[in-house]
Amino acid sequence: MQTSFKNNKKEKSETMGYLAQRKKHLRTDFILKSLLVLLAFFSAAAFAGNAFGQFLNQWRFQFYLLSLLVMFYALFNRFFLYSFLALLLLLLNFFVVSSSVPVLFSGGEGKGKTAFGMIYQPRPSSLLDIFETADRRRADLLAVIDPVLNGVSPSGLVPAGYHLADNDEGKSFMVSSRPPRSAGRIGLGGGRSAAFVSLEIGGRGYVFLSFDLSGMSRRNKEKALGYVNAFVAAEDDPVIIFGDFGMTAWSPAFGRFLASNRLEVKNDLFSRFANLLMPPTQYVVGYRNLEFAGSRCLPRLGNRSAPSLIRLKI
């Protein structure tokens, strides 16, 4: 009698364990199926040229990351077919993204010799804070884009050892630790402007151009890139562009821009943690041998948006 009771208890325990494993298996199967269906739909719909497709297209890097997580989750739970399907989606999104921007490793052939630091500050309201930041970080170049000056003149705030690259008309300007060879602005439409400066580095001239296209309509962004492209084509010296393009590098308009001037995106997508969560729109674009050494956000201090510190090797 006692032996029979023990056997029944053991059988019941085994049955409960089997049911729990079966329930876990079905739950994992449902999760993986749902994620794969959503990823497949979003990845395919992102190819559409309508507004919904353009919205989805900017999230392709996040689709790539999610596909990577799903692949490993499926492998861990021994769902090998689902893991293979996740790999296909991963490769699809990877190739779309990597066609325009480095994913794992920054661009450049490692031939840069001169370290060069830049700070990019869009729409600042406190010039004193950003000037002090540039001086404290010993930046070689500071780009102040579409500032809110409120009657404050930048010329009286420039730190010692720095040069205001152009006059202060209340528009975008640059401040350099090197004497500028030339400087100015180009209109981008919609009240926006881009600042540029020509500097001599290592006995050769380089042109630095910076702007902020965030918040502009799609059509105005494309027009602005047309003005930038015309500027690049007219320059004899290598042009280095940094700023917020207001779109991802794998968007069609950005792709046409890169193809027309033969420049390359230099900063890889893993160089900023924020890129893992939101579509990246800030890029460094330059010639093939330009080496990207890193970038990070700096404290906002008294400004509405945080400045970016960018390090290159020229």
Side-chain angles (χ1 to χ4, degrees):
M1 186 70 135
Q2 188 174 2
T3 303
S4 176
F5 176 76
K6 288 182 178 179
N7 289 337
N8 290 338
K9 186 176 181 181
K10 182 179 180 182
E11 289 177 0
K12 184 177 181 180
S13 176
E14 289 176 350
T15 302
M16 292 297 292
Y18 170 78
L19 292 175
Q21 287 294 324
R22 180 63 178 170
K23 186 176 181 181
K24 179 183 177 183
H25 179 88
L26 292 174
R27 182 171 63 249
T28 304
D29 181 80
F30 174 76
I31 292 173
L32 286 171
K33 277 183 179 178
S34 301
L35 288 173
L36 286 171
V37 168
L38 288 174
L39 276 171
F41 172 75
F42 290 147
S43 297
F47 285 107
N50 54 28
F52 181 61
Q54 292 167 12
F55 170 77
L56 291 177
N57 186 58
Q58 66 181 344
W59 292 91
R60 277 201 184 274
F61 182 55
Q62 282 70 34
F63 295 163
Y64 159 77
L65 295 175
L66 183 56
S67 300
L68 184 65
L69 292 176
V70 171
M71 183 185 72
F72 283 123
Y73 181 66
L75 275 175
F76 178 77
N77 289 279
R78 304 178 68 84
F79 285 82
F80 299 115
L81 177 60
Y82 292 164
S83 178
F84 176 72
L85 294 175
L87 175 63
L88 293 180
L89 291 172
L90 180 151
L91 292 175
L92 170 65
N93 289 296
F94 175 82
F95 285 125
V96 172
V97 171
S98 63
S99 64
S100 298
V101 58
V103 176
L104 300 175
F105 304 102
S106 58
E109 297 183 354
K111 297 181 179 180
K113 297 180 179 179
T114 304
F116 192 89
M118 311 182 298
I119 291 181
Y120 168 75
Q121 174 66 73
R123 301 186 298 278
S125 55
S126 175
L127 289 181
L128 182 60
D129 286 332
I130 189 59
F131 282 165
E132 289 179 349
T133 298
D135 188 30
R136 187 167 56 253
R137 301 284 178 174
R138 296 183 179 179
D140 297 283
L141 184 65
L142 167 65
V144 179
I145 307 302
D146 299 316
V148 181
L149 297 181
N150 296 322
V152 178
S153 174
S155 58
L157 301 175
V158 175
Y162 282 84
H163 307 270
L164 184 63
D166 199 10
N167 55 37
D168 47 350
E169 298 176 353
K171 298 181 180 179
S172 302
F173 63 90
M174 291 199 184
V175 175
S176 171
S177 63
R178 291 174 168 83
R181 301 197 309 173
S182 62
R185 305 179 187 87
I186 58 174
L188 301 178
R192 305 287 185 95
S193 61
F196 70 88
V197 62
S198 175
L199 301 175
E200 184 175 327
I201 303 173
R204 182 174 182 179
Y206 294 88
V207 178
F208 295 84
L209 176 70
S210 186
F211 50 75
D212 177 20
L213 303 185
S214 63
M216 297 178 71
S217 67
R218 174 190 171 191
R219 179 174 297 182
N220 286 338
K221 289 176 186 175
E222 293 184 4
K223 286 183 178 179
L225 287 181
Y227 298 138
V228 173
N229 192 41
F231 174 84
V232 172
E235 289 296 320
D236 295 325
D237 294 325
V239 178
I240 299 170
I241 305 172
F242 60 105
D244 194 329
F245 286 75
M247 65 182 79
T248 56
W250 53 90
S251 63
F254 204 127
R256 291 191 295 269
F257 170 73
L258 293 176
S260 61
N261 53 45
R262 297 184 179 181
L263 297 177
E264 301 175 356
V265 174
K266 312 309 294 187
N267 52 314
D268 63 276
L269 294 178
F270 282 100
S271 62
R272 296 277 287 272
F273 177 77
N275 293 347
L276 306 181
L277 306 176
M278 296 294 294
T281 58
Q282 289 191 16
Y283 299 100
V284 178
V285 177
Y287 56 95
R288 172 171 291 185
N289 292 339
L290 178 66
E291 185 178 350
F292 175 80
S295 71
R296 62 190 181 96
C297 283
L298 299 177
R300 288 190 309 112
L301 299 179
N303 291 305
R304 292 178 295 177
S305 57
S308 296
L309 174 63
I310 304 164
R311 299 201 177 277
L312 307 173
K313 287 186 178 180
I314 299 175

